[in-house]
Amino acid sequence: MATEEKTVPRHVAIIMDGNGRWAKKRFLPRNAGHAQGSRVAEQICEDAYNLGIEYLTIYAFSTENWARPKEEVDALMKLLRKYMKDSIARSSKNNMRVRVIGDISALDDDLRESIRTLERVSSVNTGLQFQVAINYGGRDEIMRAAKAFALDCAEGRKKPDELDEAVFYSYFDTAGIPYPDLLIRTSGEMRTSNFLPWQLAYTEFYFTDVLWPDFNKKELQKAIDYYSTRDRRFGGVK
Ligand code: FPP
């Protein structure tokens, strides 16, 4: 008997693009787009979990975003600061585990401290596993992993021959987290912008013209519906 079965992706990654254009359309400053974007990110965590998604990873600030005007970088850092602080209490309430991926050594001390506290406090939570990429660049992550492995070899803890995909992945910021099944990018751009290049090797891509601040549960459901039509062969035949 044929039953219509929807496959929900276990891990969804999102490039939240279009905040600036959303604000411009409303004659608002770009930062108003980011503020709305961060509210949407919070809501999407709830929606994703209710739809059965286990892991969600979002691109909040890339290694390239430092090149934006100082005022915009400051506003994004302020939003992230508030998000991390507020999430310390909120994560226990909704049983969400939050981890930050990226090179956080470049962030201000107080933000790093909030991140550490949030990661520690939420580490026992078994609901949505939520990753926020901050000062994240995929090439940077691969190089940091390569350096850490090289150092382990130089100091005798590892041998070059031991390197395989699983060993190498254990050096990544996302170690222990399954690779994304579905990548969503909003606002019509069709590129991955240095987001999770290693992890996305067999991921299905969904692009939508919807600007991130307009994204919602209905749009997420559309992306899942698209995903459930895909025939994933991982390089083999079925
Ligand atoms: C891309 O829009 C968006 C970003 C570079 C930042 C994403 C950050 C947030 C949504 C807020 C912070 C998140 C949290 C979880 C607190 P864009 O500015 O490139 O838009 P444009 O292409 O229309 O100019």
Side-chain angles (χ1 to χ4, degrees):
M1 191 182 68
T3 46
E4 206 194 312
E5 205 181 289
K6 287 237 165 98
T7 327
V8 175
R10 192 171 176 213
H11 183 176
V12 175
I14 306 184
I15 301 177
M16 312 177 288
D17 198 8
N19 295 345
R21 276 162 286 168
W22 181 91
K24 199 170 170 209
K25 269 174 47 183
R26 288 164 176 74
F27 306 101
L28 293 168
R30 289 178 60 80
N31 294 338
H34 295 316
Q36 180 59 21
S38 91
R39 285 190 281 274
V40 169
E42 261 181 64
Q43 181 59 44
I44 285 298
C45 282
E46 233 175 81
D47 298 336
Y49 193 59
N50 291 334
L51 290 170
I53 292 162
E54 290 174 58
Y55 296 85
L56 181 68
T57 303
I58 62 165
Y59 208 2
F61 194 92
S62 75
T63 46
E64 290 73 33
N65 284 154
W66 298 107
R68 294 192 176 206
K70 183 179 181 306
E71 192 205 73
E72 185 169 345
V73 170
D74 288 349
L76 280 166
M77 288 299 152
K78 198 171 158 195
L79 278 173
L80 289 166
R81 213 173 240 111
K82 181 167 163 29
Y83 179 83
M84 296 300 153
K85 282 220 177 90
D86 292 352
S87 297
I88 294 171
R90 205 173 37 221
S91 64
S92 324
K93 226 172 75 197
N94 52 22
N95 194 24
M96 179 169 86
R97 177 173 187 177
V98 188
R99 277 174 278 202
V100 170
I101 61 168
D103 181 4
I104 65 163
S105 66
L107 306 180
D108 287 349
D109 289 349
D110 67 314
L111 178 53
R112 278 209 321 262
E113 193 49 44
S114 299
I115 290 171
R116 273 196 220 100
T117 308
L118 174 59
E119 287 187 328
R120 195 184 60 245
V121 168
S122 71
S123 65
V124 292
N125 296 344
T126 55
L128 184 74
Q129 307 291 294
F130 182 45
Q131 290 65 240
V132 186
I134 305 178
N135 193 28
Y136 177 89
R139 289 178 181 165
D140 178 65
E141 180 184 39
I142 294 170
M143 286 190 294
R144 284 188 285 108
K147 272 188 204 164
F149 179 74
L151 186 68
D152 276 353
C153 289
E155 295 181 353
R157 290 182 292 273
K158 281 273 187 303
K159 293 203 172 66
D161 264 0
E162 286 174 52
L163 191 67
D164 62 16
E165 185 177 335
V167 169
F168 194 38
Y169 191 49
S170 73
Y171 288 86
F172 277 56
D173 298 342
T174 55
I177 296 170
Y179 295 150
D181 302 293
L182 174 68
L183 171 79
I184 299 171
R185 183 172 188 146
T186 57
S187 92
E189 311 291 350
M190 295 197 202
R191 55 179 175 266
T192 56
S193 302
N194 205 12
F195 190 42
L196 307 170
W198 177 279
Q199 296 89 334
L200 295 182
Y202 278 100
T203 300
E204 299 292 335
F205 289 2
Y206 177 82
F207 299 103
T208 171
D209 287 339
V210 173
L211 304 175
W212 176 251
D214 290 326
F215 198 79
N216 55 26
K217 190 174 184 182
K218 206 171 112 221
E219 298 299 331
L220 180 60
Q221 183 64 62
K222 278 193 210 165
I224 294 174
D225 290 348
Y226 166 81
Y227 174 82
S228 67
T229 67
R230 306 305 300 158
D231 176 19
R232 304 187 74 198
R233 292 186 299 275
F234 298 96
V237 279
K238 268 187 192 161

